[in-house]
Amino acid sequence: MDTIDDFKRDMVSACRILSRKKLVEGFGHVSARIPDSERFLMTPRIGLALVKESDILTLNFKGEVVEGNRQVPSEAWLHTAIMKSKPRVHAITRIHARAANIFSVTERQLEPVHNHGSFFAGGVPVFRRPDLITTEQLGNEVAQALGDAPAILLRGNGQVTVGRTIPEAVMMAIYLEEAAEVLYGALQIGKPIPLTFDESKQRRIEALPPVDLERAWNFFKHQAESNKE
Amino acid sequence: MDTIDDFKRDMVSACRILSRKKLVEGFGHVSARIPDSERFLMTPRIGLALVKESDILTLNFKGEVVEGNRQVPSEAWLHTAIMKSKPRVHAITRIHARAANIFSVTERQLEPVHNHGSFFAGGVPVFRRPDLITTEQLGNEVAQALGDAPAILLRGNGQVTVGRTIPEAVMMAIYLEEAAEVLYGALQIGKPIPLTFDESKQRRIEALPPVDLERAWNFFKHQAESNKE
Amino acid sequence: MDTIDDFKRDMVSACRILSRKKLVEGFGHVSARIPDSERFLMTPRIGLALVKESDILTLNFKGEVVEGNRQVPSEAWLHTAIMKSKPRVHAITRIHARAANIFSVTERQLEPVHNHGSFFAGGVPVFRRPDLITTEQLGNEVAQALGDAPAILLRGNGQVTVGRTIPEAVMMAIYLEEAAEVLYGALQIGKPIPLTFDESKQRRIEALPPVDLERAWNFFKHQAESNKE
Amino acid sequence: MDTIDDFKRDMVSACRILSRKKLVEGFGHVSARIPDSERFLMTPRIGLALVKESDILTLNFKGEVVEGNRQVPSEAWLHTAIMKSKPRVHAITRIHARAANIFSVTERQLEPVHNHGSFFAGGVPVFRRPDLITTEQLGNEVAQALGDAPAILLRGNGQVTVGRTIPEAVMMAIYLEEAAEVLYGALQIGKPIPLTFDESKQRRIEALPPVDLERAWNFFKHQAESNKE
C-alpha cells in the first residue's frame, strides 16, 4: 500500500509532467487524498515546476493547513470541496491548458471526437463564473458542477481534472487538452464526427486499463525527467 | 545483408525518431518483418521513447510471441494481419500523429498538395470504426482497407504506415503528418491546389530515391539522438 | 531598497525570460527607471538573449547615454518619452510577440476573454503608423497613445508593455500574448465571450497580488535559466 | 576581406540557423559566391544540420563540381542558374519553410503586413511547376521568375531566398517565414492591412541596416549554437 511519501513522490512527478506538457506555467496545483482520513496533500503557492516533496502541505476538510510551512494556495477551497464531497476522487489537478481554455470562453461545447477523449463523452461541463475559487461556497459550486465528470472547465480560468489515483488525474488533464486540440482542429477543416454514446463507452473501457495507464504515466514521467522528446 | 540485430537497432532508431517528432507519445508501435520467414519483430507494450533492443518481441503469423519477455501489445493483430497478407510490406509504424488524426474525425479527405505528400496521391484511406484493433478480424479489415497504400487513418485513433524498409515506413509517417499539416494550413487561407495524378507520379519518383531516403533517415536519427534542432 | 545592481540583474532576468518565451528574438529592449532621478537603464542594440549586466546603458530624459559603452538602440526615444511622461511607469518591455502582432495588422480589437487578460479590459490600443520609433516626436505620440494602459500594439511592429516594476512589465508582456492567443483561438471556434467590466475589475485584483506576481516571476526565471519545461 | 574559409564557416552557421529555425529538416541547401570568379560554394546532398566545413563543394557555372568529395545535390542547377544570371546575388538558401509552403499551394498571395515582411512588398513570386529543379532549363526558369525579388516560392516544394551576403540570405529566409506566419494569422481573424508601397519602402530602409543585420545574425547564431531560447 502506498505511503504518504509515495503520494508525495507521485505528486512531484505529476507537477513535472504537467509543467513539461505546458498544462501549467506559473500557476496550478495538484492534490491527493490521504486514504481513510479527512485529510489531503496539496502543493503550495509556488509554480509546479519548482515544487519539492518537502514543500507539500497537508490540509483537513475545513481547508486548514495541518502540516507544512509553505503558503497555502488561494484556491484551497476548490480542492477541499471536491475531496470532501466526492469520496471516489483521490487526486485533483488544477491546470491552465490552452486549447481547453479556448473552449471555455465560447459557447462551443468540448465534445470528444477521438479515442482518448472518450472519457469526456457528453461534453465537458463549464463553470461560467470567471472568479478564482477562493471561498467555501465557490468551492462547493464547482464541486457540484463537476458532478461525476472527470473534468470541468472554469471559464477563462483553466480547468480541474480528477481521478481515482494521481496518474489517472494527470492523464485526464493530458487527454482533456488532447480532446480540445483535436476538436479545435476538426472544426477548422469540416464537420467533426463525434463519438457516439456506444463508441465512447467501448473506447473508455479500452483506453485506460491499468497496464496502459501505467504505460502512459511511465512515458510522461520519463519525458519530464529527461526533458527530452 | 541485415541481421536481426541490425533490424532491432533500426527499430530503436525508428522509436526515437517517432518520439522526437511527436508522432507518438505514450502509445504506438513499430514492427519489422524477418525476411524469408513467417515471423516479425515488434515493440512491446511500453512507450516507444523507452524501448531498448532487448525489449523487442518476435511474433509469428498467428500473433503469438515466440521470443521475448515483455508484454505483447493489445494491437498485435494489426501488425500480424498486415505482415501476413502483404509480402511487400517489411515495416509498419503505428502512430498518433495530430494533424492526420484531425482529418480522420471529419469527412474531409487527406489529399496531397505538397511534394512529400505525393505518396498519398488519391487520398489516404480511413478506417471508420474507432475501436482498438485487438482481434484477428479487425486486423484483417484494416489490412484490406489499407490495400496498396502506404498509410491509413484509423478514425480518432491514430494511423498506420508501411514501407519496404524501416526507414521508409518511418518517412511515410513523417510525410503523412507533413501532408496533413500543409493541407490543414492551405484550407485556412484559400482553396488548396492538389497535385494532379501526373504531378504526383513524377514527384514520387523524385522524392524517395534511396540516396534521399538515407539522407532523411540520417538527419532524423541525428536529430533524435542529439535532441537538437 | 533595490540598488542599481539589483535592477540590472532583474533586467537580465527579464531579457532571458522574454527570449525563452519567444516574445523577442534578435530585437527588442528592456528599460528600468532609476528611482528619484531623471535617468533610466536600458539594454543596448544587441539581442536580448545576449545581454549581460555590464552591457546595460544609462540614459537621461534627453535620450542621451550618460553611462555605458554599447551602442544605443534606434528606438531609445520610445523609452525616453514614456519614462519622462509617466512617473507611474518604472519598467518597459519592447517586444515582438507573434499573436499580439497579428491583431495589430487587422481591425480586430484585442479584447480580453481570459483571467490574465483582465489587465487589458476595454481593448489594447494600437499605434497605426508602422515606423520604428526613432524620433522624439514619434516617442511622444506612442506615449500618448499608450495612456494609462499597460500595453500598446505597434502596427506590424511589435508591442510595448509597462509596469511599476520589472517583473510586472514582464508579466504584462506574457499576459498580453496569452490574451492574444486565447482570443485568436476563440475566434476560430465560435463567438468569444468577453469579460465584462466588473468581471475584469475583480479578476485584475485577484490576478496580481504581490505574492502571485513573485510566484510567476520565479517560475519564468527558473524556466529561462534551466532552459527546461 | 573574407576568405573562402570565412565563407565556409558562415555557411555552416547558416546551416545550423536554418535547422534550428526548422526552415529545413532533412533537405535544403546553402550556397555562396566566390567573389570575382565563376565559382560558388555549395552544401552537398546531406541534411544541413550535419554539414561540416570540409563537406562543402565548389561548383563552376556549368554546374560541375570542381572541388570536394561529397555527392552533389540534385538541385545544383537551381543555384548555378541564379549565381550565373544575377551578379548581385552572393548567397542562396533553399529551404522548406512551413507557412510559406502553405501559401504556395493556394492562389492566396503572400503579401507583407508586418515590418520584417517589407522586403517582400508587392508579393512573393510563385513558381507553379512542382518539380525538383534538376535541369539547366528549370534552373533558368526559376531564376527568371525570381527576378529582382529576395525570395520565390516553389509550389508545394519549399522556397529560395537570396542576399548580398550569407547573413542577408538567411535573414530573408527567416523574415519570409515570419511574413507568411503573420499573414496566415491575420487572415484567420479579419482583413489584413497590407503595408502600402511607401510604408514598405520606408520599413525596408529601417529594417536592415548593417548593424541590425549583424545583430540578428549574432542572435540566431547564438541560438543555434547554444540550442537555447
Side-chain angles (χ1 to χ4, degrees), chain B residues 47-65:
Chain B
L48 294 198
L50 302 168
V51 172
K52 300 183 302 296
E53 293 177 36
S54 57
D55 294 322
I56 294 174
L57 308 172
T58 306
L59 275 76
N60 63 21
F61 283 5
K62 295 180 207 155
E64 297 162 347
V65 175

Side-chain angles (χ1 to χ4, degrees), chain D residues 3-77:
Chain D
T3 65
I4 289 189
D5 281 353
D6 292 332
F7 287 127
K8 289 188 177 176
R9 198 194 53 229
D10 280 354
M11 285 174 72
V12 170
S13 292
C15 291
R16 294 296 174 275
I17 291 170
L18 296 173
S19 292
R20 177 63 176 73
K21 295 286 290 175
K22 292 186 200 297
L23 299 177
V24 294
E25 290 198 280
F27 299 99
H29 299 98
V30 173
S31 61
R33 182 186 298 276
I34 299 175
D36 307 319
S37 84
E38 300 209 330
R39 295 185 169 190
F40 63 97
L41 303 167
M42 185 167 184
T43 59
R45 199 170 186 168
I46 54 177
L48 294 198
L50 302 169
V51 171
K52 300 182 303 294
E53 293 176 37
S54 58
D55 294 322
I56 294 174
L57 308 171
T58 307
L59 275 75
N60 64 20
F61 283 5
K62 296 180 208 155
E64 297 162 346
V65 175
V66 294
E67 216 182 298
N69 301 308
R70 287 280 187 178
Q71 199 173 1
V72 71
S74 59
E75 290 197 325
W77 279 115

Side-chain angles (χ1 to χ4, degrees), chain A residues 136-156:
Chain A
E136 185 171 12
Q137 191 188 324
L138 281 167
N140 288 338
E141 285 175 26
V142 171
Q144 195 176 343
L146 174 62
D148 293 331
I152 186 168
L153 312 183
L154 307 180
R155 182 184 140 216

